[in-house]
Amino acid sequence: MSGGRQRTLLQVWRAPEGRAERREPTADSDDELLLAAAAAADPGPPQGFSEAAGSIWIYPTNLPVRPYQERMAGAALLANTLVCLPTGLGKTFVAAVVMYNFYRWFPSGKVLFLAPTKPLVAQQMEACGRVMGIPCRDMAEMTGGTQALGRRELWNTKRVFFLTPQIMVNDLSRGTCPAVEIKCLVIDEAHKALGNHAYCQVVRELSKYTNQFRVLALSATPGSDTKAVQQVISNLLIARIEVCAEDSPEIQPYSHERQVEKIVVPLGEELVEFQNTYIKVLEAFAGRLIKVGVLSRRDIPNLTKYQIILARDQYRKNPSAQHAVNYLGVEEDCPH
């Protein structure tokens, strides 16, 4: 999937020689014509781009080559891409390849890998270093435990960063992060990029300073429905989607059959005590709503947030006169 509007670096800026194919625009494709027009108007490569290094892209053939990974990496070099792969099939490998090539192509640029938690940050830093051999002297890990002054020094001296999105938001807002030097932004667990999540804030803030950066988003489960996926695409400026489902022929040689066993663990005394306290609070409020007829379900301990919101929406659409009178009575009884 590609789009002419949702992009940062030009999609057709440079095709990796001998690896990726540049599609010729067709007369019946508006998106392709837009891309061709953008390419024609492009005055040259992005600022800081090394023509010598950029004449090729490097892929680690010393490791087992999986065609779907090579294809996805090639696509992600040319367009803001959402890579969807089942867990354990090499999303981080694709990211490492893309990061290393941007590291080469922009000798003074910075490459970022965002992950939602501190353990994931450390895990991905180790994996990327192992795959492509990015020099340790150029890499830095930044999480909540890294002091602001220390981060300022790291931003000035390092080139490849592994960090949490909230740290990135904070440093962008403080002006600590050199936004215009960022050339590649990898976003792990990209399905979280909904609403005002820190991932969305990062892309919005970064776009205020520059549009010369590539986005690579990674996710095993991009969204629960089409609307959620579209939000991720829009929030992360995605122009291309690369997908391999669990039943895709491409990944079958590398997939292993999984056995799932469901184990129900008892809550234990302490958690049962918390549960009982929660139910007492819920009964105080839900009981009144049941009494006035707004809530129909009487099994309060199993009442869900979704059921409450659904009842609220239905009541707002069809508030009966009896409900309105009862509701006013409840309002009057409430202490102010």
Side-chain angles (χ1 to χ4, degrees):
M1 179 183 295
S2 63
R5 293 181 296 278
Q6 292 175 321
R7 64 177 185 268
T8 49
L9 286 171
L10 282 172
Q11 320 306 38
V12 290
W13 141 59
R14 181 178 293 276
E17 293 183 3
R19 296 287 190 176
E21 177 184 357
R22 182 188 295 187
R23 290 183 297 163
E24 294 298 326
T26 56
D28 59 350
S29 171
D30 291 339
D31 281 343
E32 294 294 339
L33 289 173
L34 282 168
L35 292 176
D42 181 26
Q47 184 177 2
F49 178 73
S50 168
E51 291 281 357
S55 62
I56 63 169
W57 71 291
I58 293 176
Y59 190 87
T61 54
N62 59 310
L63 298 172
V65 176
R66 299 182 180 183
Y68 70 89
Q69 288 179 321
E70 186 178 13
R71 171 175 57 80
M72 290 176 168
L77 292 172
L78 299 180
N80 290 348
T81 302
L82 172 61
V83 167
C84 304
L85 273 174
T87 301
L89 287 171
K91 293 185 294 295
T92 302
F93 184 96
V94 173
V97 172
V98 173
M99 291 171 70
Y100 181 72
N101 281 284
F102 273 87
Y103 168 82
R104 291 178 53 254
W105 290 350
F106 293 89
S108 60
K110 300 191 186 296
V111 176
L112 276 58
F113 191 115
L114 302 185
T117 65
K118 185 175 179 179
L120 271 177
V121 168
Q123 175 186 324
Q124 301 291 29
M125 181 174 177
E126 180 188 356
C128 288
R130 186 173 62 250
V131 170
M132 294 303 293
I134 297 173
C136 292
R137 65 177 181 275
D138 285 338
M139 295 199 298
E141 176 183 346
M142 294 194 294
T143 58
T146 314
Q147 296 298 316
L149 280 176
R151 295 202 304 271
R152 182 184 293 274
E153 176 66 18
L154 290 173
W155 282 120
N156 291 331
T157 58
K158 305 293 183 179
R159 290 188 52 210
V160 182
F161 299 85
F162 296 81
L163 65 165
T164 53
Q166 194 55 57
I167 292 294
M168 180 70 174
V169 172
N170 294 342
D171 287 356
L172 280 170
S173 63
R174 293 190 182 110
T176 305
C177 170
V180 294
E181 297 177 20
I182 294 172
K183 298 302 177 183
C184 179
L185 182 68
V186 178
I187 296 177
D188 198 16
E189 304 287 335
H191 51 272
K192 295 180 181 292
L194 302 171
N196 199 38
H197 188 275
Y199 280 155
C200 308
Q201 296 179 49
V202 165
V203 174
R204 281 200 306 268
E205 286 299 311
L206 194 55
S207 298
K208 293 178 183 178
Y209 297 93
T210 177
N211 64 354
Q212 295 288 296
F213 63 96
R214 172 69 71 242
V215 177
L216 169 57
L218 311 173
S219 179
T221 53
S224 56
D225 53 36
T226 305
K227 185 177 179 181
V229 175
Q230 182 58 56
Q231 283 189 53
V232 172
I233 289 170
S234 300
N235 291 338
L236 300 183
L237 307 177
I238 298 300
R240 184 183 184 95
I241 300 178
E242 290 287 338
V243 183
C244 278
E246 290 193 354
D247 57 353
S248 294
E250 281 184 289
I251 65 172
Q252 289 309 306
Y254 315 102
S255 300
H256 304 283
E257 187 177 348
R258 291 180 296 174
Q259 291 184 340
V260 179
E261 181 182 358
K262 183 178 179 180
I263 300 175
V264 179
V265 181
L267 288 178
E269 292 183 8
E270 186 177 2
L271 288 178
V272 167
E273 187 177 341
F274 281 119
Q275 183 186 49
N276 291 336
T277 304
Y278 161 74
I279 291 172
K280 286 180 183 177
V281 174
L282 186 61
E283 284 175 340
F285 293 93
R288 290 159 61 186
L289 293 173
I290 291 171
K291 184 178 179 181
V292 298
V294 175
L295 273 177
S296 58
R297 186 183 182 110
R298 298 185 179 275
D299 184 11
I300 293 178
N302 293 318
L303 192 63
T304 66
K305 179 180 177 181
Y306 173 75
Q307 290 167 339
I308 295 172
I309 292 174
L310 188 64
R312 180 199 67 184
D313 293 344
Q314 290 174 342
Y315 172 74
R316 285 177 174 174
K317 289 178 183 176
N318 302 297
S320 68
Q322 180 64 30
H323 285 174
V325 171
N326 288 335
Y327 180 72
L328 288 173
V330 169
E331 284 283 301
E332 290 166 1
D333 291 343
C334 291
H336 293 283

